[in-house]
Amino acid sequence: MTANRDGNEWNRRRFLAMAGVTAGAGMLAGCGGLANQEFIADTVVLPAADQEELGFTSLVEETDRREYSRSVAGQDVNATVESAISVYAQTEFEVDFGDSGGPLLFRFDGGEDGLFAEVSEKLAAPASAFGVVGGPLANVNPNIGTEQLVPAFLTVVIGGVGKIEGAVVAGLMLGTLQVLLIQTGNAAWSQVGIYALAALVLLVRPQGLLGSEVDVS
Amino acid sequence: VSDEPRDATATAAADADAEVTGGFADRWANFRDREISTVLLTVVGVAVFPFLFNNFLDGYTQLATLMLIYGIFAVGFDILLGYTGLLSFGHAVFFGGAAYAAGIFSASVSSSPLLVLLAGTAFAVLLAWIVGFLSLRRGGIYFAILTLTFGQMSFYLAASPLAFLTNGENGFTSVDIGSLLGVIDIHGGVPFPLSMLVDNMLYVFVAVMTVLSVAMANRILHSPYGTVFRAIRENERRAEFVGLNVWRYKLMAFIISAAFAGIAGSLFAIEGNYVPLESLYWTESGRIVIMTVLGGVGSLFGPLFGAGLYLYIENIVSGFPTLGPFWHLILGVVFVVAVVLFPDGIWGGINYVRDMVVGGEDE
């Protein structure tokens, strides 16, 4: 048994209750459904009629399918990524484009870069819901702290400064909301949503969800 | 310029030997306290700055322009932090928001620089009304966190859901700035007498705005209104008991400060012909806090120097042969040294040195 700073005792029952809440909320957030995901890019092709008009011939029009598997917090997470690529070359007509002699090449890419960002975001969601840092998923770069600092700070403040349970509950709330927004097709709003929730909590209950009364004026 | 005690006369009269010094300090204080002299000093400062900067400090006019833009931003921020005592950690939302508003206005309504400036500033003021109205319900650290939250919210709004307006992560690239008053090419050269000092019309435009902003800040801070701001900083409760509506004054200080950020943001869009998404990120809010503290909180001119020094280290020192890559570290060391040795920033340091030399002002 240990005591935290406020002198509250952490006993086994309390710990189990917290763990139960954590696991329950994780399941409610629908993380199970996140374990298997498919990401399919729209194929970008130049219609045959346009090809003829512009004098382009298709060199490559193909799709590529890859499987990714990771283990996140003991859960196996699988993702299938299908990307598309199309390449066209101008062969029939000579169009004057200045000095650039030689045939023109047009390349349409099914947005693999963008897809990867989305893949990492979606894979990172269950990790945060389980309270595990998404180290293996996010790229480790010098800016990694800059991106995580503000959400971490907010989590502590809206949970209530000095309350460990508060941080857990706030982290779960923010993570759950983010996952919910992504899962319901509002991925664009997922980041905005957690800040809106944070602002709401700070306005309604500035001492934090589990914080004790303080002078906030 | 500042609100120090002005009893140099008494000191000088008591000591016959110091009469010359005291007389000088007295006349200097008289000169300084007139509004017109503050404006004149600023005019002279911005007029000779690019010449000195380009010839002796390895600078270039574009950076000098950027320094003035951030200087306006910092002067406005100081009205809030230094004079009213409120630390906002989300001022990027007004700077970046105004830049986006100005950029979008220039692309779709009118490309006249003055109208673009007006549109950006108006947007910042309206936004500040809303954000201030909500955030000022809380004080101290809770106010700082609320402003930070709104700042981050706006960053992610611009990044994704509003990408059809802001062009998302690529930044707003279609800024279209026309000629000033229909005749003056803002990116062109300047006519003869001015061309001895400045080589570019954009700098003149930004410099005029800087002088106007400093004059406006000076007028506000030396009016009874500004005195109320200082009273709130010193003791909010006492100000309230005197019968002042503290909340209203705080909201106005927030809005005035955001208006300066709006002017700076619009000029930033005009200057770069581009609005990066990072102009809304929280690091931008952090930058302006550092610039203001480095220059000296609670002084009118300090923040201008702070912005200049910050951008100098970021852009010039970072290009030095061996020191260059360590510019972040250098900035940190400069910040720590400034805070430890001169808690009132560069301007506090300048005052300290001046008082040592003139000997008239310190008590």
Side-chain angles (χ1 to χ4, degrees), chain A residues 146 150 188 191 195 202-203 206 216, chain B residues 134 138-139 142 149 156 160 282:
Chain A
T146 324
V150 176
Q191 289 289 333
Y195 287 104
L202 281 170
L203 285 170
V216 293
Chain B
L134 292 171
R138 307 283 169 234
Y142 295 94
T149 309
Y156 286 108
S160 197
W282 69 268

Side-chain angles (χ1 to χ4, degrees), chain A residues 29 122 176-190:
Chain A
K122 289 209 173 181
T176 309
L177 178 69
Q178 196 178 354
V179 173
L180 270 178
L181 285 170
I182 294 174
Q183 281 295 84
T184 50
N186 297 306
W189 292 90
S190 61

